[in-house]
Amino acid sequence: MTPPDLAPHPPLLIVLNAGSGSGEAARTRDIIATGCAAVQRDFQIYEVDGPNRLQACAREAVERAREMRGVVVAAGGDGTINAVAQAALNSGCAFGVLPQGTFNYFSRTHGIPPDTGEALQVLLNENPRAVQVGMVNEKVFLVNASLGLYAKLLEDREAFKAQYGRHRWVAFWSGLVTVLRGVRPWYLHMSWHGKQRDIRTQTLFVANNSLQMHQVGLAEADAPEQGQLAAIALKPQSAFAMLGLLARGALGRLGDADSVLSFSFESMSVRPMRGRGRVKVATDGEINWLDMPLDFRVAPQPLWLLRPDVAPELEATRQ
């Protein structure tokens, strides 16, 4: 694998989602301008000023980065990062992140600081390194993809945040309400590595993020470091039992539960055993309608991310 051919002092083409995080877009612009001016680095900001502008801004930034041999940068939460990564994958561009979201699993896994000024220094001083990308049908996911209960949790979480604000306690409360309401189980046929299995599950979760998996205690946590994804399916159970699983996850012991099926794979096909030709699938927190069957796989090409050589938070979870 050959890294992108960058200019000697590559310009930064930054897609800024003003709606992500605390909404401090002006402060983020000031930090970028001050930091880039200090080292005489060119930059251009593509501000997402509407709900339907993100993909267009991402494509425009990628095209400009290709012309200038620059770096396309996502400044926002996991959804913004996902959209820009979708445009950057296979483009030949290097990719960078200024995390602005609530959980920032992608940036934390790769050692990128949550502070905007510190993250900017990564963009200005680090080299691109290959990072694995997950795919479901033609959609990119960097953290996870899911259907069923987990997708419903994310959908409800966004509705709660729109009403009560983007805070961790809002995410926790919305998740509790969704679990207590429950969802209908899915009947799925899964095939991978020559194996097949029919399951009845409330959620299917496919992970591409070692930090998130280590935190909940899954044996497959290092699958992304080994060129694989991890599938996690939960057997149907009562709301009370589901709350117990959430508690296990919070304590880093989810993998010990008898009601959890998990395994690693490079590619997997999932189809319904009854009905449901199109389904809601969450990719990095964004809800999409996708056609069955769902084909999960590791993308053949990596994303070339500007990141430190060591990710301290991820290393700490392995100790």
Side-chain angles (χ1 to χ4, degrees):
M1 295 182 292
T2 304
D5 177 26
L6 294 176
H9 301 285
L12 305 179
L13 293 307
I14 302 168
V15 179
L16 172 63
N17 189 345
S20 294
S22 59
E24 297 181 352
R27 178 175 176 272
T28 299
R29 287 195 299 270
D30 289 344
I31 292 172
I32 293 169
T34 301
C36 288
V39 294
Q40 298 182 325
R41 182 72 66 89
D42 291 336
F43 72 95
Q44 182 174 345
I45 293 178
Y46 298 81
E47 187 161 335
V48 180
D49 53 6
N52 300 317
R53 284 281 299 153
L54 179 55
Q55 292 182 351
C57 286
R59 289 192 297 267
E60 187 176 349
V62 166
E63 186 60 34
R64 187 64 173 152
R66 291 179 63 181
E67 295 172 359
M68 302 177 71
R69 295 162 58 207
V71 180
V72 61
V73 178
D78 283 338
T80 302
I81 295 169
N82 177 284
V84 181
Q86 180 92 40
L89 187 66
N90 299 323
S91 70
C93 293
F95 180 67
V97 171
L98 294 173
Q100 309 274 299
T102 304
F103 295 102
N104 297 318
Y105 271 114
F106 178 72
S107 57
R108 290 162 57 198
T109 295
H110 296 295
I112 299 170
D115 178 80
T116 301
E118 294 177 10
L120 180 64
Q121 292 305 309
V122 171
L123 299 180
L124 297 174
N125 296 294
E126 295 292 346
N127 296 316
R129 293 177 168 88
V131 169
Q132 176 174 289
V133 174
M135 303 288 294
V136 51
N137 294 0
E138 298 307 314
K139 291 291 295 182
V140 158
F141 62 96
L142 304 177
V143 180
N144 57 59
S146 62
L147 65 156
L149 176 61
Y150 191 76
K152 181 62 175 172
L153 283 169
L154 295 174
E155 191 174 28
D156 290 349
R157 187 184 74 186
E158 291 308 307
F160 268 67
K161 284 183 177 181
Q163 185 171 359
Y164 301 110
R166 305 185 70 88
H167 305 285
R168 286 177 183 255
W169 69 265
V170 173
F172 173 80
W173 180 252
S174 69
L176 182 62
V177 170
T178 303
V179 168
L180 292 175
R181 287 174 178 168
V183 297
R184 291 185 301 167
W186 291 69
Y187 297 83
L188 301 173
H189 177 79
M190 305 189 302
S191 56
W192 74 100
H193 298 340
K195 301 176 183 178
Q196 298 189 46
R197 182 159 183 168
D198 295 335
I199 65 168
R200 180 171 176 262
T201 181
Q202 286 176 291
T203 190
L204 175 64
F205 180 93
V206 176
N208 185 37
N209 187 275
S210 292
L211 178 61
Q212 189 177 46
M213 287 189 283
H214 271 293
Q215 287 185 339
V216 299
L218 291 171
E220 296 79 10
D222 288 325
E225 313 304 316
Q226 300 161 359
Q228 296 185 313
L229 303 170
I232 302 97
L234 307 181
K235 297 177 183 177
Q237 52 204 293
S238 68
F240 181 78
M242 187 64 70
L243 290 176
L245 280 182
L246 292 177
R248 276 181 175 270
L251 295 172
R253 296 172 48 205
L254 185 63
D256 297 337
D258 293 335
S259 56
V260 176
L261 166 69
S262 63
F263 56 89
S264 56
F265 66 92
E266 293 177 9
S267 63
M268 176 177 69
S269 178
V270 177
R271 62 176 175 81
M273 296 171 61
R274 49 175 80 170
R276 291 175 169 170
R278 281 174 63 82
V279 295
K280 285 183 180 180
V281 178
T283 53
D284 296 343
E286 301 297 312
I287 304 297
N288 312 276
W289 281 99
L290 299 181
D291 293 322
M292 284 285 198
L294 299 177
D295 293 314
F296 295 93
R297 65 192 185 280
V298 174
Q301 297 295 324
L303 199 61
W304 289 97
L305 176 68
L306 271 68
R307 51 153 293 180
D309 187 41
V310 177
E313 189 173 357
L314 178 58
E315 291 302 318
T317 64
R318 292 171 171 162
Q319 296 175 1

